[in-house]
Amino acid sequence: MLQGSLVTLRARHPDDVPVLQAELHDDVTTRVRADNRPWRPVPPLPEHSPYAVTAPTDDAACFSVLERAGGELAGEALLWGIDGHNRCAHVGIALRPAHRGRGLAADTVRTLCHYGFRVLGLQRLQIETLTDNEPMIRAARAAGFTVEGTLRASAWVCGEFVDQTVLGLLAREWRDR
């Protein structure tokens, strides 16, 4: 387990799957803004869920986010697209609606950075998010990420192409904080 100030990141448990499925995947409007893959309905069976508990892989590290105060499941966090040769990865988080707006996102991003830089030895982490996703941009910047640019009309969301913001953080910048 990884401890942040406000959150704990741990391996996903089977009991997490139905909660994450119901609150993060089945909310179509939220899901299509958070994932670049098209939304599809999935049966309410744990093995079909995008949150299914699977064996670890070299290219992704998936966590459940727990609030330290009370231990309640707050959402998911992951490093994905882990590239061991170039030592980089992408950061992704999604918090359940009741856990948003309380500083958990920034602490989750910081905790993922600790894992990526200190544990995995990565040299770069990157976040791509919709340009209007101000909470994610604030959380990333609070963790030390720098806005690097805009990917124009790069995401298909609810019937239109929208821009994405790219943020990056290097290991040396993390260490200097």
Side-chain angles (χ1 to χ4, degrees):
M1 288 193 294
L2 301 168
Q3 298 291 334
S5 299
L6 302 172
V7 300
T8 298
L9 304 185
R10 64 150 166 79
R12 190 161 302 141
H13 293 177
D15 291 349
D16 300 342
V17 175
V19 176
L20 296 173
Q21 174 78 26
E23 293 192 37
L24 298 179
H25 182 272
D26 292 345
D27 177 354
V28 178
T29 303
T30 298
R31 182 66 180 195
V32 299
R33 294 178 50 78
D35 196 328
N36 60 359
R37 298 168 293 188
W39 183 89
R40 288 179 172 53
V42 296
L45 302 169
E47 63 270 16
H48 295 296
S49 174
Y51 304 100
V53 176
T54 61
T57 67
D58 289 338
D59 65 344
C62 300
F63 299 94
S64 285
V65 178
L66 305 179
E67 251 192 281
R68 285 189 71 176
E72 187 176 355
L73 178 65
E76 72 153 346
L78 63 146
L79 293 183
W80 59 276
I82 299 171
D83 179 339
H85 177 71
N86 293 302
R87 295 177 42 206
C88 59
H90 300 265
V91 173
I93 69 167
L95 297 178
R96 297 170 56 202
H99 298 272
R100 297 176 188 155
R102 300 186 349 215
L104 301 179
D107 194 47
T108 299
V109 171
R110 281 191 293 270
T111 306
L112 280 174
C113 290
H114 170 81
Y115 176 70
F117 293 132
R118 305 270 180 166
V119 178
L120 298 182
L122 300 176
Q123 71 89 27
R124 175 184 168 77
L125 293 174
Q126 180 171 312
I127 296 172
E128 302 87 10
T129 190
L130 301 181
T131 56
D132 67 352
N133 188 351
E134 290 298 326
M136 185 65 213
I137 294 169
R138 275 193 309 275
R141 292 180 67 98
F145 282 77
T146 300
V147 173
E148 295 181 334
T150 301
L151 301 173
R152 297 176 304 134
S154 61
W156 178 253
V157 179
C158 296
E160 65 180 323
F161 285 103
V162 297
D163 296 347
Q164 290 182 297
T165 298
V166 178
L167 302 104
L169 179 63
L170 303 178
R172 69 175 182 266
E173 296 166 339
W174 174 255
R175 283 189 303 270
D176 291 346
R177 287 182 59 90

